[in-house]
Amino acid sequence: MNAVSRCLLVGVAVAFVFGLALLACDKPAQDETDAAAPGVCIPSCAGRDCGDDGCGGSCGKCEPPYFCVAGTCLNEDSPREDAAPGAADAGGEAEDGSPDSADPDATGAGPEIPESEVEPAAETTGPVGPGDGDGDGVHDDEDNCPGLANPSQLDLDADGQGNACDADDDNDADPDDSDCAPQDPKVGAFAPEKCDGLDNNCNYEIDEGEDGLGCLPAFLDADGDGYGDGKAQVCVCNPEAAGYSSVAGDCDDKNAQLSPDVMESCDGKDNDCNGFVDDPGAIGCKPVFWDSDDDGFGGGFAVSCDCKPGGLGVTDKSGDCDDNEADIHPMMSEVCDDVDNNCDGKTDIGCDSDGDGWCGPFFAVMGTPASCPMGGGDCKDNDPLVNPGAKEKPKDGIDNNCNGVADESGGEIKFECQGPCTGHTMAAYLCSMEVCFGDLVLSSQIWSPTGDMVDSSWEAVSHFGNVNNDLKPWAGNSYALLASGPATGTSHTTDLPGGGGAPDPYAKDGYQTYDNVELKLQIKAPTGAIGFSIDYVYFSEEYEEYIGSSFNDKFYIILNAPKTTQGKSVVVNSTACSNPNAYYDFIDPQSGEKKCYIAINTALSEPCSNPKTNISGTGFECGPPDANHGSSTGWLSTSWPIEGDELFTLTFHIHDTSDGIFDSEVILDNFKWLSDPFNAGTVPHSNNP
């Protein structure tokens, strides 16, 4: 047995036992044999670190990005004639001295070649010559596929193994039968994807994924609004592709309604992603004006447009005709002072209706204005013969000189109110409750101590509810309504707009009050007066299911006089309690009796089991215990002392307790000055005038 046969037998034995590739053997020396046996392949990997060993086996494979060229591992930038570093030497070892490993899949017979890639055998004109086993005209020693006819000897990857028998023509480690480009070493299952418009890794997708060769920086755009998350930068082939953007700046990549292209809106969000919420000029903003005098109204043009205007020196209300004077703005009452106090473009309108040089009873007079140089206090401003400068005419029943006494003969002190006394003006409102005292009324104001909007909570009317109920006026042809909700209509479960809560300085229960509304008057008592009285009816939706609870809405008449009350604010309307053992407001220091202010707990409130007063059509009449029914006290009358010529403040106050719904209301009528002895306090009145 010669050396070649022995080498082949050893190779077969090793492959059988250990499953390894056929060992490569060097060609025997010339003195061992003169020629190889016909049909026997002698493998060799001398000078190769990859490719075919000449007998269908492998000398090794190149790892990406290297590929095999003429038995040498090169990358795409290496010159084809230069060998890749680490190539094995002729002795079968790599440059670092490690043994050159044989291909474990090699069997010596070469891979199975698809039928379509087998080259046809070369035509011959005679018998096959010695050393040409496949009969393709190429001697086996020089044939790169000695077991398969391939006369063209094509070898794409120059690995010494012809294409006809090479299972991986381009030597990219991806077999031809799965390689989508079997003759392109840059394309294959193990090739990295590049940004070149090709399917480099044979996954049937082009330029997919992130971090491909030649990729461009981009940002994840999950909401598809064209702006990416600046904190989520990636590298992709196509930054306008779905799911990506080349532009950062999205402050919420889960909401397409928030991006630098969106207009800012007044909604508590940073819509345009500029780092600020509700910027000036946002959609829905309100004009802002300078308010130099801090009276709540600005003058001139808007200086900005804000979502939440307010603060010192600015306001969202305009129309101030003098922004340096806090007592001049659109909500001020007109004063006779040669100034347009309410900014309506008119000065001292209505101050002197009869032209007698004296201003009427509903206007304050400052200095000696041109409208009424004689002063104020004209108690009958539609009659030029009646004013403070006129002489009193006896026995005509008229207070000609407006001193508060008709004919100056003693007895009842009367003032006449000139109608009409209905509507939503202060003049009509005071007239409806018979407060027509000329210049004895120094000021009048309806406002809310809790900051609520009170425009709907007061009105002068001729009748409240059905015309056939027990609520006809006691004097004149009208009366005043004051409520902690809407004054007119039949719906009384409304929280007034704006405002908040405030403690009650007169109650001991400690509950918060809401929807506070007050009529506040500054009055000078006429000479000869020893007291005053007023008639009223108190209504509440809280009656009667909330008696003794925290929802004890109240109505106060508060007097503050330097002599009569020693300058203290005193509630003058109170009565016995409905159940003093369960609830009372204070103990009368003189009688020791437990007392209640006018509220649902007062003994004068009418239980719905037997109401005495017909209040139908008001929305407060008895019914099921709900928000649409209640009860009232019926007509009451409160009388209280005052000294003649005393300057005092009289406040009519109503509020809800513990919440702003289930409103209360009061009718105010027939204010009178008392000059004869009387009993101070609050008593029931006749139910029908």
Side-chain angles (χ1 to χ4, degrees):
M1 182 179 295
N2 61 24
V4 173
S5 300
R6 185 165 51 251
C7 178
L8 290 175
L9 287 177
V10 172
V12 171
V14 172
F16 178 78
V17 175
F18 298 100
L20 300 176
L22 184 62
L23 294 176
C25 299
D26 290 342
K27 188 175 182 179
Q30 184 66 33
D31 58 354
E32 286 191 51
T33 180
D34 293 333
V40 177
C41 178
I42 302 175
S44 174
C45 288
R48 292 176 175 269
D49 55 6
C50 62
D52 189 6
D53 63 0
C55 294
S58 173
C59 292
K61 292 186 177 181
C62 301
E63 296 296 330
Y66 291 91
F67 53 90
C68 190
V69 177
T72 302
C73 290
L74 303 176
N75 61 26
E76 60 181 328
D77 297 325
S78 303
R80 291 299 178 95
E81 63 271 21
D82 294 340
D89 58 19
E93 292 185 354
E95 289 181 356
D96 59 1
S98 58
D100 186 15
S101 300
D103 187 343
D105 294 331
T107 61
E112 182 178 350
I113 307 301
E115 183 177 351
S116 60
E117 298 184 11
V118 176
E119 296 184 5
E123 295 183 2
T124 58
T125 56
V128 177
D132 183 12
D134 55 10
D136 58 4
V138 180
H139 195 277
D140 289 343
D141 290 345
E142 298 177 356
D143 196 337
N144 57 16
C145 282
L148 189 65
N150 63 333
S152 67
Q153 294 292 293
L154 294 178
D155 184 6
L156 176 67
D157 53 8
D159 61 355
Q161 187 175 13
N163 292 352
C165 59
D166 192 345
D168 185 7
D169 285 353
D170 53 13
N171 199 34
D172 61 0
D174 189 4
D176 292 347
D177 56 358
S178 63
D179 196 334
C180 61
Q183 295 192 350
D184 187 344
K186 298 180 181 179
V187 179
F190 304 105
E193 189 70 11
K194 299 179 182 179
C195 298
D196 56 3
L198 302 176
D199 179 13
N200 307 95
N201 56 9
C202 292
N203 66 348
Y204 302 101
E205 296 182 36
I206 296 175
D207 294 349
E208 80 283 357
E210 300 173 4
D211 300 323
L213 295 177
C215 62
L216 299 174
F219 305 90
L220 293 179
D221 182 14
D223 54 14
D225 60 4
Y227 288 87
D229 182 354
K231 298 179 181 178
Q233 184 170 355
V234 294
C235 193
V236 295
C237 293
N238 185 7
E240 296 309 337
Y244 303 99
S245 174
S246 61
V247 183
D250 199 332
C251 51
D252 186 349
D253 204 33
K254 296 180 181 178
N255 188 346
Q257 303 304 315
L258 304 180
S259 79
D261 279 344
V262 177
M263 290 289 292
E264 187 75 5
S265 298
C266 294
D267 57 3
K269 300 176 182 177
D270 181 12
N271 310 92
D272 57 7
C273 293
N274 69 346
F276 300 96
V277 174
D278 293 347
D279 301 358
I283 297 174
C285 65
K286 297 180 180 179
V288 177
F289 304 86
W290 292 122
D291 183 13
S292 301
D293 53 14
D294 284 320
D295 60 3
F297 291 86
F301 299 99
V303 295
S304 65
C305 191
D306 295 345
C307 292
K308 296 180 180 179
L312 190 65
V314 295
T315 179
D316 62 343
K317 298 180 180 64
S318 61
D320 197 334
C321 51
D322 186 348
D323 203 32
N324 294 316
E325 178 55 61
D327 291 332
I328 298 177
H329 57 74
M331 293 300 293
M332 279 296 293
S333 299
E334 190 67 14
V335 177
C336 303
D337 58 357
D338 290 332
V339 175
D340 180 13
N341 308 95
N342 59 9
C343 296
D344 64 353
K346 303 173 183 178
T347 301
D348 294 356
I349 297 299
C351 285
D352 181 15
S353 299
D354 57 14
D356 60 3
W358 296 85
C359 285
F362 304 113
F363 295 91
V365 178
M366 303 293 292
T368 56
S371 57
C372 46
M374 303 302 295
D378 192 340
C379 58
K380 195 175 183 181
D381 201 34
N382 62 346
D383 187 346
L385 300 178
V386 177
N387 55 61
K391 292 183 178 181
E392 188 68 19
K393 296 180 181 180
K395 299 182 181 180
D396 64 354
I398 298 175
D399 179 14
N400 308 96
N401 60 6
C402 296
N403 68 348
V405 181
D407 297 337
E408 299 181 358
S409 58
E412 184 178 8
I413 304 172
K414 289 186 176 181
F415 291 86
E416 292 185 12
C417 289
Q418 303 299 319
C421 298
T422 59
H424 200 69
T425 66
M426 183 58 71
Y429 196 72
L430 296 180
C431 176
S432 70
M433 55 190 296
E434 286 67 54
V435 180
C436 305
F437 313 140
D439 61 350
L440 298 180
V441 180
L442 303 181
S443 68
S444 57
Q445 179 188 22
I446 295 178
W447 74 301
S448 172
T450 48
D452 293 272
M453 298 178 65
V454 299
D455 190 63
S456 65
S457 64
W458 62 279
E459 192 79 15
V461 299
S462 58
H463 198 93
F464 188 35
N466 296 336
V467 295
N468 60 347
N469 63 20
D470 293 335
L471 302 177
K472 298 177 182 178
W474 277 92
N477 57 7
S478 59
Y479 43 56
L481 300 179
L482 190 70
S484 63
T488 59
T490 58
S491 178
H492 306 291
T493 57
T494 301
D495 192 357
L496 290 176
D504 186 343
Y506 304 105
K508 67 179 182 61
D509 50 29
Y511 298 123
Q512 286 285 95
T513 67
Y514 299 87
D515 291 347
N516 288 217
V517 182
E518 290 185 353
L519 166 63
K520 196 169 188 177
L521 305 175
Q522 277 193 315
I523 305 174
K524 182 180 180 181
T527 303
I530 64 171
F532 63 86
S533 69
I534 187 167
D535 300 332
Y536 57 95
V537 182
Y538 173 72
F539 310 85
S540 179
E541 296 283 16
E542 303 285 6
Y543 201 84
E544 57 191 28
E545 61 267 32
Y546 293 104
I547 292 178
S549 74
S550 62
F551 304 105
N552 188 25
D553 299 356
K554 295 184 178 72
F555 167 64
Y556 296 144
I557 301 176
I558 305 168
L559 175 65
N560 188 313
K563 297 179 181 179
T564 305
T565 66
Q566 290 78 49
K568 298 179 180 179
S569 295
V570 176
V571 178
V572 300
N573 60 327
S574 61
T575 68
C577 301
S578 59
N579 186 354
N581 293 327
Y583 180 89
Y584 66 93
D585 286 312
F586 66 97
I587 297 177
D588 190 323
Q590 296 181 350
S591 66
E593 182 183 5
K594 293 179 179 178
K595 291 290 190 72
C596 283
Y597 298 124
I598 300 302
I600 65 174
N601 291 307
T602 178
L604 299 180
S605 295
E606 298 181 355
C608 285
S609 58
N610 185 26
K612 297 179 181 179
T613 307
N614 181 355
I615 60 172
S616 61
T618 63
F620 289 103
E621 57 265 33
C622 288
D626 56 25
N628 300 314
H629 299 87
S631 187
S632 77
T633 61
W635 280 103
L636 304 178
S637 181
T638 292
S639 302
W640 205 258
I642 199 73
E643 291 194 17
D645 299 320
E646 187 171 16
L647 181 62
F648 63 94
T649 300
L650 190 64
T651 302
F652 299 93
H653 169 106
I654 195 166
H655 69 249
D656 293 338
T657 304
S658 296
D659 62 24
I661 57 175
F662 284 59
D663 306 326
S664 296
E665 188 160 355
V666 66
I667 294 175
L668 301 173
D669 192 28
N670 196 26
F671 187 96
K672 296 187 299 184
W673 295 109
L674 303 178
S675 57
D676 295 326
F678 66 93
N679 293 321
T682 300
V683 295
H685 214 321
S686 169
N687 288 330
N688 197 352

